Amino acid sequence: MADGEVNATQGRDGQEKVNEALGRLDATEVTRAVSAFARENPHVALAAAAGLGFLLGGGLTPRVLSRLGSFATRSYVKSTLAQAVGTLLDEQARAQSQLGSSP
């Protein structure tokens, strides 16, 4: 069997397992579980509902996605550079202290 055929077979097997698991779900039990979770974690439930409403309302336009991506990238790069500069300064301070302590 070729790699593509193996992947396709595994994909079908996975899909069959998902369909079987979804078929065994009881709608009333799922509703009960979601309601219990919302009562125990109201802030999380509200945030999830707002996020889902935003997504279903078409809030993730390409423009919004690009802004979110650039914000995440800037944040990541900023923290990575700060960590790298901090490590470099620590290494330089350690090297200078070792040079100064040599007889």
Side-chain angles (χ1 to χ4, degrees):
M1 238 187 238
D3 287 338
E5 293 174 0
V6 171
N7 289 340
T9 303
Q10 289 174 347
R12 280 192 299 270
D13 291 343
Q15 185 64 36
E16 289 172 6
K17 289 179 183 179
V18 168
N19 288 339
E20 182 181 322
L22 288 175
R24 286 184 275 151
L25 284 178
D26 182 23
T28 56
E29 185 62 33
V30 171
T31 304
R32 212 174 293 136
V34 169
S35 296
F37 178 82
R39 271 188 238 102
E40 293 172 5
N41 306 297
H43 294 99
V44 174
L46 285 173
L52 187 60
F54 180 77
L55 290 175
L56 293 177
L60 281 183
T61 61
R63 186 175 184 179
V64 172
L65 280 174
S66 68
R67 287 186 179 178
L68 284 172
S70 66
F71 173 74
T73 302
R74 267 187 264 130
S75 176
Y76 173 75
V77 168
K78 183 179 177 181
S79 66
T80 303
L81 285 176
Q83 185 179 8
V85 168
T87 302
L88 180 64
L89 292 175
D90 287 344
E91 288 177 4
Q92 283 182 343
R94 196 175 317 123
Q96 285 181 355
S97 66
Q98 288 175 352
L99 288 176
S101 65
S102 298

